[in-house]
Amino acid sequence: MAIAPIQRVLIIGAGIAGMQAALDIANAGYEVVLVEREPSIGGRMAQLSETFPTLDCAQCILTPRTVEVGHHEHIRLRTYSEVEAVEGQLGDFRVRIRRRAAYVNWEVCTGCGLCQEKCPKKVISDFERGIGPRKAIYTLSPQAVPNKPVIDRQSCIYFERGKCRACEKFCPTGAIDFEQEDAIIEERVGAIIVATGYDLYPLSLLGEYGYGEVPDVIDSLAFERLLSASGPTAGQVRRPSDGAEPKEVVFIQCAGSRDPELHKPYCSKICCMYTAKHAMLYKHKVHDGQAYVFYIDIRSAGKRYEEFVQRAMEEERVLYVRGKVSRVFRENGKVMVWGTDTLSGQNVEVAADLVVLAPAMVPKAGSDVVAELLDLATDEHGWFTAAEANLQPVETKRAGVFLAGAAVGPMDIPETVAQASGAAAQVLSLFAQWAERNGNA
Amino acid sequence: MRVKLSAMRVRNDLVRRIEELSGQDLLACYQCGKCSAGCPAAFAMDLLPSQVIRLVQLGLVEEVLNAKTPWFCAACQTCYARCPKGVDLSRIMEAIREIALQERGDYLVIEEIPAEELAEFPQLAFIGGFRKYTA
Amino acid sequence: MRIAYFPGCTLNTTAKGFDNALRASFAALGAELVELPEWNCCGATFPLLVDNMLDLVAPTRVLLAAQRQGDRLAVACTMCYNVIRRTNNRLRSDADALEKLNYFIEAEYRGGVEVLDVLQILRDDVGFEAVQAAVKKPLTGLKVAAYYGCMVLRPPTEVAYDDPENPHALDDLLRALGAEPVEWPHKAECCGAYLAVKSKEATAEMSYRILSSAQRAGAQAVVTNCPLCQFNLDKQQLDMGRRHGGYQPVPVLYFSQLLGVALGLDTADFGWERHYVDVRPLLESLG
């Protein structure tokens, strides 16, 4: 190599995987460029209420990490940004990053939140999975890192009609900048970690479950928001249609998973555990409630996972029903669930107040673009494929590009973090080899 | 027919009584079926032993009271000895028999046993049978 | 050695041969079974309902009678052993139950009696080596299937003094007597017990599975320690051939009978005439 390889890393995605890799590498003294599409970091974990199987408050264990990432002297955080182009090779990648216009000068903004308070435009929040509002100018949460808002141009009254500017009027530091444009940033790095994470399978494709038609049919991330103290109900379990406390709640696993004919053939791996957690937390909040979990198999193959599921059954009195639900519909203010119990050979029906679906995990929207930019292989479902599934799970066929977390496939938090540290170790190993070579030269 | 599951059904009075009488936690059973697999009398039963627990878990006690299975349980304890969850199914069967005997009367009528057989039975068969089959 | 002894109703009547052979054999081995001066029926089944205190009264009375004689009680009938032992466990671990039962029986049972099965005593107190040394007529060449039934094995934590899935105390005794115990899988399968009084067909099938398994393993006789198993297995064979063509009956003995034979005792009162499948031709063939 003519020039010395660059001991900097680009990490795409600042969920728990990207953050873990970033901290591991930055703590070793190397510089990290951490790119995140959302306005703030934390990813899916920031949406979660509590983690299985320990029932730790997700926010409480995540916040120290997000804060550390936000303040780390070796981490250059690029939120609200996307990688647009990558050229070069191992040791010298040239990366073009588009930083979307936030219409807020973050240098000046103090994160006081007054703009969000005064903004007259309410929008359904994606972060709250459709069951809570945000404003047209927003941060993802009060704990956001960075705690700086962005204006959603599609919803903003000023951008639509040319007047309002309430945020600008009330901003004490004059940070609102309607003229702001996208910025292009060039970075040079020697290695790249892809940590783009996952989405949930679109439930509109499972018409039989009534998602989108029946307001009290929600997905598992929405239920996380319902349980979360920072969520739209401040942690109270309330059904979306009328705000009533649901007394009969049905959880349906494998909504799109393990369905090779119509949906996704694979097991999404985390649903059994988070559903057990959901049912358990529901019972903690609604003592006289009845929770039902419809399942095909219970997969709880992690440390203390099986014990956790058994606790849900035994101590929390959750009724597990072995069989897939076939139909969910609304009738007389109830959500009717038609299922079966293959253990007894009985068809069953529940007149539920709330139905929570556990959708299949799918690759994050836009990960196909990342795959193309980096010339990375994906499988037929769009998951990134490792160089070798057994012995090189975090490497790719492209030298200097590594994988971390659920971009590879369904994965829970501990596995994600372990993978991320694995990817970080690969990068640090490269950097150390380069340092040794340069030292010897 | 579609069974209507509800909090009221799965926690109905008979379910509670079975739990109280047997001292067993019905939901501790995760339906592995080992009890059924090893039951020496299963061939003669209309419901498998594990299905008896399952129906009670679902609140369908009537179906269990109508079944033959509880009367074919010899309390041999093979199920309990091997149960991974420590559920003593023989106690649950006894509770079901008890409720059935109270609600529906004796299962065994002594006059139905031929006199010559009666004379041959060892006392323990005879007394055991009466303990299990009559109120 | 002297030890308080509870024969139970069945050993006092239909299984008198079991009792006679047992007492004579123990005596020959220098262990005297001293029958409780007064005893009552134990109830024959251990009550399985949590609040069924009433059915604990009878076995508690037996324990009380034993307490008056010492701190150990030998029980021969496996059903009685199971009932009395489990009752004792309950009284030892549940102070409320003990208080209630003492109130019922108007006496004070203190929970100190150790309830032992006679086979257990033979193994642990007399010792199979001593038994072997006392054998006068070894049962050489006799292939036997040791059959334990349920009551001395289950529930394991409460009653078992042997490996509950692969028991061998009876096999070991029979080996000490010179017999050849066969390996077979149905040693601890239930024979149907009291189902016999209501569901003859089920018990017949259960007995058939056990007996045919023993015979497939090459056993010439089935040897048991349970009077109800003995009755079920023995009697069901009378019309087993009708249901299972070609079935050949096999004698079902009590271990005490073979013990007495091997010790060279007078077997006249061992109750041979009580057996449905005649045992004598087999014994005579031993010489």
Side-chain angles (χ1 to χ4, degrees), chain A residues 17-156:
Chain A
M19 286 166 44
Q20 178 69 31
L23 286 171
D24 284 353
I25 296 169
N27 285 337
Y30 298 99
E31 199 164 308
V32 177
V33 180
L34 182 56
V35 176
E36 170 56 50
R37 189 163 62 184
E38 295 293 327
S40 57
I41 63 173
R44 290 285 176 217
M45 194 174 165
Q47 289 176 289
L48 306 185
S49 55
E50 293 175 22
T51 57
F52 61 78
T54 51
L55 297 185
D56 286 315
C57 155
Q59 197 64 249
C60 311
I61 59 174
L62 183 68
T63 302
R65 294 288 177 100
T66 53
V67 169
E68 195 184 348
V69 169
H71 287 122
H72 206 291
E73 55 169 337
H74 294 316
I75 298 175
R76 197 175 287 187
L77 198 52
R78 299 285 184 205
T79 57
Y80 216 42
S81 301
E82 290 177 61
V83 174
E84 263 194 353
V86 178
E87 281 166 15
Q89 68 286 309
L90 170 69
D92 185 16
F93 291 105
R94 289 175 298 285
V95 183
R96 192 167 80 234
I97 298 162
R98 175 178 292 270
R99 199 277 189 183
R100 285 155 66 196
Y103 307 106
V104 177
N105 182 347
W106 284 7
E107 304 296 321
V108 179
C109 170
T110 60
C112 72
L114 199 57
C115 52
Q116 298 183 60
E117 209 182 300
K118 299 296 180 186
C119 174
K121 183 66 187 273
K122 267 193 185 177
V123 184
I124 290 173
S125 164
D126 284 343
F127 184 81
E128 304 294 357
R129 294 303 287 183
I131 58 159
R134 65 162 167 81
K135 295 294 182 63
I137 184 166
Y138 70 103
T139 57
L140 294 186
S141 79
Q143 294 82 22
V145 173
N147 188 22
K148 313 281 177 171
V150 298
I151 294 175
D152 159 17
R153 198 183 163 116
Q154 259 71 48
S155 315
C156 173

Side-chain angles (χ1 to χ4, degrees), chain A residues 269 272-273 298-306 309 412:
Chain A
K269 206 172 174 180
C272 286
M273 289 306 296
I298 300 169
R299 292 173 174 187
S300 48
K303 202 166 177 175
R304 303 224 170 265
Y305 286 12
E306 175 61 21
V309 172
D412 63 17

Side-chain angles (χ1 to χ4, degrees), chain B residues 19-24 38-41 43-44 71-82 88 90-91 94-98 107-109 112-113 116-117 119-133, chain C residues 9-10 13-14 41-52 55 58 77 79-80 86 150-151 154-158 165 188-190 192-203 205-206 209 227-228 231-232 235 276:
Chain B
E19 286 200 314
E20 276 167 23
L21 287 170
S22 68
Q24 302 301 299
C39 177
F43 70 90
W71 307 107
F72 280 96
C73 166
C76 77
Q77 308 267 350
T78 304
C79 49
Y80 176 43
R82 296 176 186 159
D88 190 342
S90 64
R91 287 183 183 271
E94 183 120 317
I96 293 165
R97 283 192 296 265
E98 176 72 13
Y107 180 72
L108 177 69
V109 181
E112 287 172 3
I113 304 174
E116 65 276 13
E117 277 187 27
E120 283 188 326
F121 277 125
Q123 282 93 329
L124 47 83
F126 189 68
I127 298 165
F130 270 79
R131 281 259 166 110
K132 298 292 180 188
Y133 295 148
Chain C
C9 308
T10 304
T13 52
T14 58
C41 169
C42 71
T45 60
F46 181 72
L48 295 170
L49 299 184
V50 177
D51 63 351
N52 186 349
D55 287 354
C77 168
M79 291 286 248
C80 302
R86 293 188 77 181
C150 309
M151 293 296 143
R154 294 185 289 267
T157 49
E158 287 208 56
E165 292 293 351
E189 285 289 298
C190 175
Y194 56 78
L195 294 186
V197 300
K198 179 76 183 177
S199 318
K200 237 195 313 184
E201 279 158 25
T203 343
E205 178 61 22
M206 291 162 90
R209 291 177 179 190
L228 185 46
F231 172 78
N232 277 340
K235 177 154 190 225
Y276 293 92

Side-chain angles (χ1 to χ4, degrees), chain A residues 248 288-290 292 310 313-314 317 319-322 338-339 341 343-344 346-350, chain B residues 1-7 10-11 19 25 27-28 30-31 51 54-55 57-58 60 63 85:
Chain A
E248 308 247 0
D288 60 343
Q290 177 68 46
Y292 309 83
Q310 290 189 28
M313 294 177 182
E314 229 169 308
R317 319 301 290 169
L319 186 65
Y320 272 72
V321 185
R322 198 211 166 272
W338 279 2
D341 176 58
L343 297 169
S344 63
Q346 305 273 352
N347 272 352
V348 298
E349 173 185 291
V350 184
Chain B
M1 208 197 63
R2 212 169 264 286
V3 172
K4 291 179 170 34
L5 290 184
S6 64
V10 304
R11 280 181 257 158
E19 286 200 314
D25 178 354
L27 289 181
Y30 59 19
Q31 289 286 299
Q51 288 176 320
R54 186 59 187 162
L55 289 167
Q57 286 178 336
L58 297 178
L60 304 175
E63 310 212 358
K85 296 302 301 285

Side-chain angles (χ1 to χ4, degrees), chain A residues 300-367:
Chain A
S300 48
K303 202 166 177 175
R304 303 224 170 265
Y305 286 12
E306 175 61 21
E307 295 92 320
F308 185 82
V309 172
Q310 290 189 28
R311 205 171 103 207
M313 294 177 182
E314 229 169 308
E315 289 173 29
E316 310 296 348
R317 319 301 290 169
V318 176
L319 186 65
Y320 272 72
V321 185
R322 198 211 166 272
K324 245 182 144 154
V325 166
S326 177
R327 183 91 179 96
V328 176
F329 58 95
R330 197 172 198 198
E331 199 171 76
N332 300 327
K334 293 281 187 180
V335 191
M336 304 306 292
V337 177
W338 279 2
T340 196
D341 176 58
T342 63
L343 297 169
S344 63
Q346 305 273 352
N347 272 352
V348 298
E349 173 185 291
V350 184
D353 299 312
L354 180 69
V355 171
V356 183
L357 304 175
M361 286 169 90
V362 293
K364 187 82 182 172
S367 58

Side-chain angles (χ1 to χ4, degrees), chain C residues 80-81 83 94 119 141 152 168:
Chain C
C80 302
Y81 164 75
V83 172
D94 180 346
L119 181 61
V152 297
H168 52 83

Side-chain angles (χ1 to χ4, degrees), chain C residues 223-270:
Chain C
V223 181
T224 186
N225 52 350
C226 175
L228 185 46
C229 297
Q230 197 282 333
F231 172 78
N232 277 340
L233 295 184
D234 194 12
K235 177 154 190 225
Q236 302 292 348
Q237 293 188 82
L238 294 185
D239 58 354
M240 210 163 263
R242 195 168 46 78
R243 204 179 286 265
H244 300 282
Y247 179 83
Q248 290 299 315
V250 59
V252 183
L253 297 99
Y254 293 112
F255 77 88
S256 62
Q257 292 172 314
L258 281 184
L259 177 60
V261 168
L263 293 175
L265 306 181
D266 175 5
T267 65
D269 66 350
F270 281 14

Side-chain angles (χ1 to χ4, degrees), chain C residues 161-234:
Chain C
Y161 54 84
D162 202 347
D163 179 335
E165 292 293 351
N166 296 295
H168 52 83
L170 192 48
D171 292 77
D172 295 344
L173 172 67
L174 291 166
R175 208 172 284 117
L177 302 181
E180 189 186 323
V182 298
E183 269 313 311
W184 66 304
H186 283 30
K187 289 178 183 185
E189 285 289 298
C190 175
C191 70
Y194 56 78
L195 294 186
V197 300
K198 179 76 183 177
S199 318
K200 237 195 313 184
E201 279 158 25
T203 343
E205 178 61 22
M206 291 162 90
S207 298
Y208 172 72
R209 291 177 179 190
I210 292 161
L211 292 163
S212 56
S213 166
Q215 294 194 60
R216 277 195 301 278
Q220 299 164 277
V222 173
V223 181
T224 186
N225 52 350
C226 175
L228 185 46
C229 297
Q230 197 282 333
F231 172 78
N232 277 340
L233 295 184
D234 194 12

